[in-house]
Amino acid sequence: MEKTAILELGVEDLPPSMVKDTLGQLQKFGETLLENYRINYQKVSTWGSSQRLIFCIQGIKLKQEDAVEKDMGPPKKLVYDSEGKLTPAGRQYLKAKKINESSLGIETLKKGEYVYIKKHIKGKKTSAILPSLFTELIRSLRFSKSMRWKDGNFSFGRPLRYIFSVLGEEVVEFEINGIKSGRKTRGNRYLFPRWVEVSDAPSYGKIIRNLGVITHPGDRKKAISQQISKVMLELERKGYKARLVNDEKLLEELCYLIEHPTVFWGEFDSQYLSLPSFILKACLREYQKYFTTAEGEKVLPFFIGVREGGRHNLQEIVENNKRVLHARLNDVGFFYREDKKIPLKERVLELREVIVQEKLGSYYDKIKRLVKLTQKISPGLGVGQDLQKRVERAAYLCKADILTHMGKEFPELQSTLGKEYALHSGEDALVAQAIEEHRRPCFSEDKLPNSLEGAILAIIDKVDTLSGAFWAGFIPSGSEDPWGLRREAQGVVEIIIDKNFDIDLKELINQSMDLYNKNKNDAREKLSEFLRGRIVSTLRDMGIAPDIVNSIMQVDKNKPVDIIKRARAMQSLASREKFEEEIIAIVRLLSILKQAKDWGIKIPSKVSPERFKEKEEINLYKCWEKIKKVVDKALEEREYIKAYKNLSSLKETIHTFFDKVLVMCDDFEIRLNRLSLLLDIGSRFLRIADFTRLQI
């Protein structure tokens, strides 16, 4: 027999960003616990909002599956003789355990064959297990920030207020932090703010809907989108070629925040359209959680909001929202006008009073480091002096907007505000663009800097942040990364690859760390390794095979552009029909060089052809000399496929050499000369990859 089990956790308002993750945890941990407890079911679903989290098990079996456990015993040879009959010790063992021979089994372990006792465990009733399962499930949930209340040691994202828990028509009884489970749930706080008893699980869905709660976030999202579409049609009928400014993040936030969404819209005073569009959009979104409409790129004087509840008093809601919005826009207009009265450059010295972090000093200290780092790395990138000066100027100004009224009011607009105020202050347009772009990418799908100035400034800003954090000991561990350093490191790698900058990350880290007072070599190496991890992650995201990634990273770990080129070349070469045959020859050559290194043999860098005795080694030398210049040129120009194809043409010659010539011969000088020839060839292979790391 099967039933439905439902667990609903009533909570004080969770941040919408927590809800999605928590529902995912409920699904994952719930399914794992059901499996661990041997309870079969048809389907697990999770729904909810910032006010309630729902875990539903459909088609749950009313009895736990029986199980057979193994109680390991002595070695088989003590219990059975060579003919498979019980030994006296075996009979004594059965007597001591009060079992018969049919209860025994044999299992082969690493240390030999052992006897075990088969223990049959009868399944319990599901109703007896669910209290423990639900308790464990609730306690397994993790939040980025948790709260404690009362005197208990229990913590949750926000305080728990009630627990609804039923299996069919029965209450699943348990208690957490003084809250006892029951069959009562609450309706929508605005439409039906009352307690209701639910007689059984099958009735739950209908009752909760009648209480004004749309449980599924996807259904709420669909409802919001459909209602907004009707608003857009209405604007179209009024003669506007309106479009909704896409904001999936806000739409998702609202669908996890609101249980019964009703869309409303209104018009605000067109005088506020004189504000820059990015500021206007931020006001609508951040202050009021409104969607913005536009005609082309021009913002229209309309706001679209979503309320919790029905359509009653909707016009009054619109007027109240309009009044609040006008007040907000008045404030923003005042802040914006006041900010423009002070040129951006005049704010820079005030950054001395703004501390980044106690160990890392002020923002003024930071911009001084950025300017110095720009002067160090720009010449190596081959950029002209004019571009370098623009980057230095942008580095000097890029943090000044955090002191503006608008920068404090809308931290997410920093950099964009910097560009706006830089242009108003008469700065070069490319300097202003670099200021705007220097924090990119801010998140996984963010755009990369478009200009060279912006790209260079973004790299040095992120590297300075990383260097400071590692220097001060704020190193990410596990899932903890409060400074967002993984994102910053990934941004550095992505920008370098996107702009094809020939940057050595280890050298860049050293240049950045040198700007801090105390030398910390361990911090330098840890940061280097941290950035290498981002390169490896990038290679895997590109679909590069793991063994190729390993072989590439053994050669050069610090130049992202070169690493990517070698990885792509190797991935292409690996599809060649004769690749495996070629690798065998290469590995033979590299392995003997590794052996010589392990033995401490110092191989001379120069080959002496007059010392060759055997025709096979003479032939290998001549074949190598024919292609050596072509290979070196290809390697210099990073044409790795061309270099490899020329090198691999030596395959048969290398095999013949090893088949006929004893490299480690008794004559020490001849041995060194042969190793010198192999080193001359092998060193070129190793400029592409460590082929011994490939899985062939």
Side-chain angles (χ1 to χ4, degrees):
M1 191 175 176
E2 300 172 350
K3 288 188 178 181
T4 297
I6 298 175
L7 172 69
E8 179 191 314
L9 306 176
V11 293
E12 288 191 11
D13 286 9
L14 283 165
S17 58
M18 281 188 185
V19 179
K20 183 178 181 180
D21 178 65
T22 307
L23 292 178
Q25 290 186 58
L26 274 173
Q27 179 95 23
K28 179 182 176 182
F29 297 155
E31 290 174 346
T32 300
L33 285 170
L34 287 166
E35 183 180 343
N36 291 346
Y37 278 98
R38 307 192 312 277
I39 299 175
N40 291 330
Y41 61 93
Q42 290 180 3
K43 184 181 179 182
V44 164
S45 303
T46 57
W47 313 300
S49 67
S50 59
Q51 300 153 52
R52 74 187 79 221
L53 304 168
I54 304 165
F55 177 71
C56 176
I57 316 167
Q58 294 171 291
I60 188 170
K61 296 288 186 182
L62 298 185
K63 182 176 173 294
Q64 183 187 39
E65 287 289 298
D66 294 344
V68 176
E69 287 187 357
K70 297 176 181 178
D71 185 5
M72 298 308 296
K76 177 187 173 183
K77 61 185 179 183
L78 296 180
V79 179
Y80 291 101
D81 60 22
S82 59
E83 296 179 358
K85 295 179 180 179
L86 285 169
T87 63
R91 286 191 290 272
Q92 187 63 35
Y93 176 69
L94 293 177
K95 185 178 180 181
K97 293 293 183 179
K98 297 179 181 179
I99 58 173
N100 54 42
E101 191 178 351
S102 63
S103 297
L104 295 182
I106 308 296
E107 184 164 341
T108 303
L109 304 177
K110 286 185 178 180
K111 50 188 178 180
E113 291 185 304
Y114 278 73
V115 167
Y116 66 83
I117 300 172
K118 292 178 278 189
K119 296 179 68 176
H120 293 273
I121 301 172
K122 193 173 182 181
K124 299 178 182 178
K125 288 184 178 181
T126 299
S127 58
I129 297 171
L130 282 183
S132 298
L133 189 151
F134 283 167
T135 301
E136 191 174 342
L137 176 59
I138 295 168
R139 290 186 178 276
S140 70
L141 299 176
R142 295 292 176 265
F143 302 86
S144 54
K145 291 183 179 179
S146 296
M147 297 178 67
R148 296 180 188 275
W149 64 100
K150 294 187 177 181
D151 299 324
N153 60 0
F154 176 72
S155 65
F156 209 71
R158 291 294 184 272
L160 270 175
R161 289 309 180 212
Y162 70 89
I163 300 172
F164 170 87
S165 178
V166 297
L167 171 62
E169 63 283 348
E170 299 175 43
V171 173
V172 178
E173 295 183 356
F174 62 97
E175 182 177 337
I176 286 185
N177 207 37
I179 301 171
K180 294 181 179 180
S181 62
R183 61 170 73 249
K184 286 185 178 181
T185 184
R186 283 187 68 103
N188 183 279
R189 64 175 59 172
Y190 295 108
L191 296 175
F192 300 95
R194 62 176 184 264
W195 291 100
V196 175
E197 278 201 2
V198 179
S199 59
D200 54 42
S203 305
Y204 174 82
K206 184 178 180 181
I207 290 172
I208 203 81
R209 282 194 299 273
N210 290 338
L211 293 173
V213 177
I214 301 173
T215 56
H216 200 299
D219 292 339
R220 297 194 292 267
K221 187 175 183 179
K222 185 178 179 181
I224 294 170
S225 298
Q226 288 174 342
Q227 292 178 61
I228 289 177
S229 295
K230 290 179 181 179
V231 174
M232 301 309 292
L233 287 173
E234 198 165 338
L235 290 176
E236 190 177 321
R237 283 195 292 270
K238 289 179 177 289
Y240 293 98
K241 294 180 180 177
R243 66 176 179 85
L244 186 74
V245 176
N246 184 47
D247 196 337
E248 282 295 322
K249 190 175 179 182
L250 176 59
L251 179 59
E252 183 168 284
E253 181 182 349
L254 290 170
C255 85
Y256 284 110
L257 179 67
I258 295 172
E259 292 193 320
H260 192 103
T262 297
V263 171
F264 61 90
W265 69 281
E267 186 173 0
F268 61 86
D269 197 317
S270 59
Q271 66 169 316
Y272 299 114
L273 296 178
S274 60
L275 288 167
S277 61
F278 72 91
I279 291 177
L280 198 52
K281 291 174 186 175
C283 289
L284 292 170
R285 187 194 195 287
E286 301 304 325
Y287 278 145
Q288 301 297 114
K289 299 193 185 302
Y290 294 151
F291 292 96
T292 305
T293 60
E295 199 168 62
E297 294 304 314
K298 181 183 176 183
V299 173
L300 291 173
F302 301 104
F303 60 90
I304 300 176
V306 184
R307 71 173 293 196
E308 176 73 271
R311 304 193 66 82
H312 59 283
N313 300 327
L314 205 58
Q315 192 54 44
E316 185 181 341
I317 295 292
V318 171
E319 291 303 319
N320 288 340
N321 275 264
K322 184 176 178 179
R323 209 162 30 246
V324 172
L325 179 59
H326 281 172
R328 296 282 198 182
L329 292 174
N330 276 328
D331 289 344
V332 166
F334 173 77
F335 292 153
Y336 179 61
R337 289 189 296 273
E338 288 297 301
D339 284 343
K340 291 198 295 183
K341 291 178 181 178
I342 303 175
L344 204 59
K345 63 183 179 182
E346 292 184 16
R347 298 183 185 273
V348 173
L349 292 180
E350 296 176 39
L351 291 170
R352 292 170 175 168
E353 307 303 318
V354 185
I355 302 300
V356 177
Q357 201 279 335
E358 186 179 351
K359 293 181 180 180
L360 301 176
S362 68
Y363 272 99
Y364 187 71
D365 296 323
K366 182 177 179 69
I367 64 171
K368 287 195 297 183
R369 291 194 301 269
L370 296 185
V371 171
K372 289 178 182 177
L373 198 51
T374 297
Q375 294 166 347
K376 286 186 175 186
I377 75 163
S378 294
L381 297 176
V383 299
Q385 285 193 348
D386 289 344
L387 192 148
Q388 180 178 332
K389 287 179 180 178
R390 288 195 293 271
V391 179
E392 288 179 31
R393 184 63 175 172
Y396 182 73
L397 298 171
C398 68
K399 303 299 179 184
D401 63 345
I402 69 176
L403 293 168
T404 63
H405 293 295
M406 290 294 291
K408 294 171 185 175
E409 191 74 10
F410 296 103
E412 71 281 357
L413 292 184
Q414 289 170 11
S415 299
T416 307
L417 287 166
K419 176 187 178 182
E420 182 77 13
Y421 295 145
L423 290 172
H424 182 74
S425 302
E427 299 290 342
D428 186 293
L430 287 171
V431 170
Q433 186 176 351
I435 292 172
E436 181 187 32
E437 296 176 337
H438 86 277
R439 282 192 173 94
R440 294 183 191 170
C442 296
F443 47 89
S444 60
E445 296 176 3
D446 196 12
K447 294 178 182 177
L448 298 177
N450 188 48
S451 66
L452 284 176
E453 290 88 348
I456 296 170
L457 183 54
I459 290 170
I460 63 173
D461 180 56
K462 294 177 190 302
V463 167
D464 178 74
T465 297
L466 289 162
S467 296
F470 274 71
W471 179 84
F474 306 127
I475 301 172
S477 59
S479 60
E480 296 295 318
D481 186 13
W483 281 39
L485 299 181
R486 290 187 181 90
R487 183 187 64 233
E488 295 287 82
Q490 189 66 37
V492 170
V493 172
E494 288 177 4
I495 295 168
I496 290 173
I497 294 169
D498 180 65
K499 295 302 180 188
N500 204 32
F501 285 147
D502 190 18
I503 289 178
D504 186 307
L505 288 175
K506 190 168 186 177
E507 185 179 333
L508 179 59
I509 290 165
N510 286 334
Q511 290 172 329
S512 180
M513 287 277 190
D514 287 344
L515 299 176
Y516 288 84
N517 295 330
K518 295 179 182 178
N519 186 25
K520 294 186 177 181
N521 289 327
D522 60 331
R524 294 172 191 252
E525 187 49 44
K526 285 177 182 178
L527 179 52
S528 294
E529 194 59 39
F530 187 69
L531 282 164
R532 288 170 199 147
R534 297 301 94 198
I535 297 173
V536 169
S537 176
T538 300
L539 291 172
R540 288 174 179 166
D541 289 344
M542 291 168 56
I544 306 298
D547 62 326
I548 292 179
V549 172
N550 189 18
S551 70
I552 292 296
M553 295 301 290
Q554 295 300 318
V555 173
D556 185 346
K557 304 176 181 181
N558 301 304
K559 293 183 177 179
V561 170
D562 188 58
I563 289 169
I564 295 297
K565 286 184 177 179
R566 288 186 289 111
R568 284 174 173 158
M570 285 294 293
Q571 190 84 337
S572 174
L573 290 166
S575 63
R576 283 162 55 94
E577 187 178 340
K578 296 182 179 180
F579 186 69
E580 291 193 10
E581 296 176 23
E582 294 163 353
I583 295 304
I584 293 169
I586 298 167
V587 170
R588 288 183 82 178
L589 189 153
L590 295 178
S591 294
I592 201 163
L593 290 173
K594 184 178 183 300
Q595 185 182 18
K597 183 180 178 181
D598 292 342
W599 289 356
I601 298 174
K602 293 184 179 180
I603 305 173
S605 57
K606 189 175 180 180
V607 181
S608 301
E610 68 277 3
R611 288 185 176 159
F612 290 135
K613 302 294 183 183
E614 307 293 339
K615 65 178 181 179
E616 290 80 12
E617 59 185 332
I618 295 170
N619 188 38
L620 178 58
Y621 173 74
K622 287 180 178 179
C623 290
W624 169 231
E625 285 296 308
K626 285 180 184 178
I627 64 170
K628 185 175 180 179
K629 289 183 179 179
V630 176
V631 169
D632 285 345
K633 185 180 179 184
L635 290 171
E636 189 66 29
E637 295 174 353
R638 295 180 177 174
E639 295 181 2
Y640 293 113
I641 292 178
K642 181 179 179 181
Y644 174 84
K645 286 182 177 178
N646 277 277
L647 281 164
S648 63
S649 68
L650 299 173
K651 178 189 70 173
E652 296 301 335
T653 315
I654 290 171
H655 278 311
T656 303
F657 171 84
F658 281 116
D659 291 342
K660 301 293 184 180
V661 177
L662 180 62
V663 177
M664 297 300 191
C665 62
D666 294 335
D667 190 313
F668 186 69
E669 294 300 326
I670 292 176
R671 183 199 311 171
L672 286 181
N673 198 46
R674 288 170 179 171
L675 287 170
S676 181
L677 172 60
L678 297 180
L679 179 63
D680 205 29
I681 300 170
S683 63
R684 269 65 173 190
F685 277 116
L686 288 173
R687 285 177 63 181
I688 303 172
D690 183 350
F691 291 87
T692 64
R693 302 277 177 166
L694 297 178
Q695 295 177 2
I696 301 297

